[in-house]
Amino acid sequence: MSQPRFVTSIASQSADFPGWYNDVVRKAELADYSPVRGCMIIRPYGYAIWESMRDELDRHIKATGHSNVYFPVFVPRSLLEKEAEHVEGFDPQVAWVTHAGGEPLAEWLAIRPTSEALIAEVVKDWIQSYRDLPLLMNLWNNVVRWELRTRLFLRTTEFLWQEAHTFHATEQEAAEEVATGLECYRTVAEEWLAIPVIKGRKSETEKFPGAVYSHSIEAMMRDGKALQAGTSHMLGQNFARSAGIEFLDRENQLQAPFGTSWGFSTRMVGAVIMAHGDESGLVLPPRVAPVQVVVVPIFRTDEDRAAVAAAVERLTGELAATEAGRAVRVKVDWREESPGFKYSHWELRGVPFRAEIGPRDVAAGQAVLVRRVDRAKEVLPISALVEELPSRLSAYQDELFKRALDFRAANSHEVDTYEDFKAVLEERGGFLWAHWCGDAACEKQVAADTGATLRVIPFDGPAEPGSCLIDGRPSERRVVFARAY
């Protein structure tokens, strides 16, 4: 059951989810529109959320042996066009530089839609022998894809992301790398962002252009729609061969290396908003929250202010002085606004806990602690607050993950006929677990008729033979369909 509305300056989530989302992004000061069509300006609070997930993912990537590198934003047209299937998949979205310095360019330059083509061209001089492999590179950069319809964080013309690019001596090593990338994403999504995901394979229709196959993690938002939260691609030898990359293997034979790529972007800020938010705005998992506890001092007179300030200073000082407290990100709101204004301000921004301290609290050596997720209030001695905040934040993180997991379970439906599929999709939405024979024509018919796409062929779960929704042919297991962002 949804809670009564506390923040009234945003659209209702239940009545207008797209309006609610846009209001939260802008009024919580996460991002704003740019003068350039489809581009966004990421404001400090939104960028802090991105930095948190970026740094956590970077830590996992480096732990797997990858090194960060940088490649130029411009890709010569001749390089991008070497791999025909790749170019065909991206062509409508590519932005081209045709003039520079007041003169037409002899060769157009693509503004990087992704980096495979440029990287493949360069590393052919770096890879000569199996001893040079594996080559494990990771990039943190921006890309441009000329989208027709954009939405802040979720789909913008320019966005920030991580893209790993690797080369391997054998197909097996490359396959293990695809799994490594996807597991990095699962870990960050579930353990850092508290978003449960389904790991699986994309269909041939939905895979990355030019890839042999693509794996992804899919998450459910609070409107029941799916969001692709990270992808990892087996490129095989396609890009290496088109770039002329060869190496001498252990048998002294020339062959092309096997490549992979995997990516994770600022759309995950949108995922955090939509996976956890409620009628009052953001609900941030503590690990990703820029502010984990906001302290609101309450006073009327200068004398009260001085007493409250001393208590607040002791509280923040003790948090900083204790080993456990060093992880607690605390902000004290001394602005000349009413307490109610401050409550609404920080509620909209999803801060996990609010501590209220007034003159009576000072006299009693206590504070009022309020949980953002349910606004439950508790009076605690300040000493207990200092001691318990780290464990309470950890429990809050776990609670948000379980809440999201329960929501996904409640909005996942097994359907066996196409009539039921269409009825459930319209009436209830969510993830529809249904049988599919593997034919792209059946997949396309579902999308054309209903707007739902095949999100993922899950890795987990038992094989369950059945009949395809569309043509009745045999199916080995259920797959996940949903309307998606």
Side-chain angles (χ1 to χ4, degrees):
M1 179 180 295
S2 62
Q3 295 182 36
R5 298 196 67 195
F6 185 72
V7 176
T8 58
S9 61
I10 59 176
S12 166
Q13 185 189 79
S14 56
D16 179 10
F17 197 89
W20 169 86
Y21 176 83
N22 287 335
D23 281 351
V24 169
V25 170
R26 299 193 72 193
K27 294 185 178 182
E29 300 177 339
L30 302 179
D32 210 339
Y33 296 109
S34 160
V36 181
R37 188 200 72 83
C39 293
M40 67 174 170
I41 296 164
I42 306 176
R43 301 186 67 176
Y45 198 67
Y47 200 80
I49 294 172
W50 167 244
E51 282 181 309
S52 174
M53 62 180 78
R54 179 199 67 189
D55 292 349
E56 178 66 7
L57 178 58
D58 191 68
R59 184 175 70 82
H60 285 281
I61 290 172
K62 286 175 178 172
T64 64
H66 297 71
S67 298
N68 286 343
V69 299
Y70 187 81
F71 281 77
V73 71
F74 300 117
V75 183
R77 186 173 188 171
S78 58
L79 295 186
L80 195 62
E81 291 181 342
K82 276 189 175 183
E83 217 294 316
E85 185 180 354
H86 186 61
V87 175
E88 184 180 353
F90 277 112
D91 193 52
Q93 299 177 323
V94 175
W96 295 99
V97 178
T98 61
H99 289 69
E103 299 291 335
L105 293 176
E107 181 177 15
W108 286 11
L109 298 173
I111 301 177
R112 173 176 53 212
T114 182
S115 301
E116 280 82 6
L118 183 62
I119 287 173
E121 178 68 17
V122 171
V123 301
K124 66 183 179 184
D125 294 327
W126 301 354
I127 300 173
Q128 303 297 325
S129 161
Y130 70 89
R131 296 181 181 88
D132 300 320
L133 299 171
L135 179 58
L136 308 176
M137 298 179 295
N138 183 63
L139 288 71
W140 289 100
N141 56 28
N142 60 343
V143 297
V144 170
R145 296 179 185 173
W146 211 257
E147 301 281 1
L148 293 177
R149 290 175 294 277
T150 60
R151 184 176 295 178
L152 295 171
F153 287 115
L154 297 178
R155 193 173 294 278
T156 50
T157 299
E158 178 193 18
F159 55 91
L160 306 180
W161 79 339
Q162 164 271 328
E163 50 177 316
H165 297 275
T166 71
F167 295 86
H168 305 265
T170 69
E171 186 174 18
Q172 178 61 34
E173 289 177 7
E176 291 170 358
E177 173 72 12
V178 172
T180 293
L182 201 67
E183 180 58 17
C184 284
Y185 297 155
R186 184 211 64 78
T187 301
V188 172
E190 294 196 337
E191 298 178 13
W192 201 254
L193 307 181
I195 300 175
V197 296
I198 298 174
K199 294 171 66 174
R201 182 166 175 155
K202 303 296 277 188
S203 67
E204 287 295 302
T205 302
E206 294 288 328
K207 74 177 183 180
F208 180 69
V212 177
Y213 60 80
S214 295
H215 291 170
S216 77
I217 54 173
E218 297 288 327
M220 181 183 288
M221 304 296 99
R222 291 194 70 79
D223 62 350
K225 288 186 178 179
L227 185 133
Q228 182 175 281
T231 50
S232 187
H233 314 287
M234 165 64 87
L235 304 181
Q237 296 170 303
N238 297 348
F239 287 90
R241 284 175 174 155
S242 67
I245 306 173
E246 291 184 320
F247 72 98
L248 285 171
D249 65 16
R250 291 179 181 275
E251 283 70 47
N252 211 34
Q253 301 294 313
L254 278 174
Q255 67 164 299
F258 293 83
T260 80
S261 69
W262 27 291
F264 177 102
S265 79
T266 37
R267 74 167 11 207
M268 289 305 292
V269 178
V272 171
I273 298 167
M274 295 193 297
H276 299 301
D278 63 14
E279 294 284 356
S280 292
L282 290 172
V283 176
L284 292 178
R287 288 177 183 166
V288 78
V291 178
Q292 294 173 321
V293 180
V294 62
V295 179
V296 178
I298 302 170
F299 55 89
R300 290 182 180 273
T301 67
D302 290 344
E303 183 180 3
D304 286 346
R305 179 186 173 111
V308 169
V312 168
E313 186 176 350
R314 284 197 305 273
L315 171 62
T316 56
E318 288 178 21
L319 283 171
T322 60
E323 183 176 352
R326 290 195 187 106
V328 179
R329 295 183 288 277
V330 182
K331 183 176 182 63
V332 182
D333 190 345
W334 283 110
R335 291 177 299 167
E336 294 183 2
E337 300 284 358
S338 69
F341 176 91
K342 296 176 184 180
Y343 300 163
S344 179
H345 178 93
W346 295 110
E347 179 119 349
L348 174 61
R349 285 156 180 77
V351 174
F353 287 97
R354 179 175 77 242
E356 304 166 8
I357 302 179
R360 292 182 181 178
D361 300 308
V362 173
Q366 66 187 26
V368 178
L369 189 67
V370 184
R371 285 166 30 107
R372 166 64 182 86
V373 70
D374 56 9
R375 291 200 294 280
K377 289 189 176 184
E378 187 175 358
V379 178
L380 289 171
I382 287 179
S383 58
L385 185 63
V386 171
E387 183 179 341
E388 294 178 17
L389 265 176
S391 61
R392 285 174 180 258
L393 287 165
S394 179
Y396 189 101
Q397 178 88 19
D398 294 342
E399 181 179 339
L400 288 190
F401 181 78
K402 184 179 184 304
R403 187 180 76 149
L405 197 63
D406 290 345
F407 181 84
R408 188 182 73 185
N411 290 277
S412 296
H413 320 287
E414 290 189 0
V415 292
D416 293 312
T417 69
Y418 199 30
E419 291 73 21
D420 287 346
F421 181 99
K422 290 184 282 189
V424 171
L425 184 65
E426 289 303 319
E427 295 168 12
R428 303 171 67 183
F431 284 1
L432 275 64
W433 290 72
H435 283 287
W436 170 63
C437 63
D439 192 322
C442 295
E443 178 187 358
K444 290 175 181 177
Q445 183 176 335
V446 172
D449 292 346
T450 69
T453 53
L454 200 168
R455 303 312 306 160
V456 70
I457 304 167
F459 294 146
D460 297 331
E464 180 189 342
S467 300
C468 177
L469 281 174
I470 302 300
D471 62 15
R473 283 188 287 177
S475 162
E476 294 181 357
R477 65 179 63 243
R478 293 181 188 271
V479 300
V480 177
F481 287 90
R483 289 176 176 150
Y485 287 95

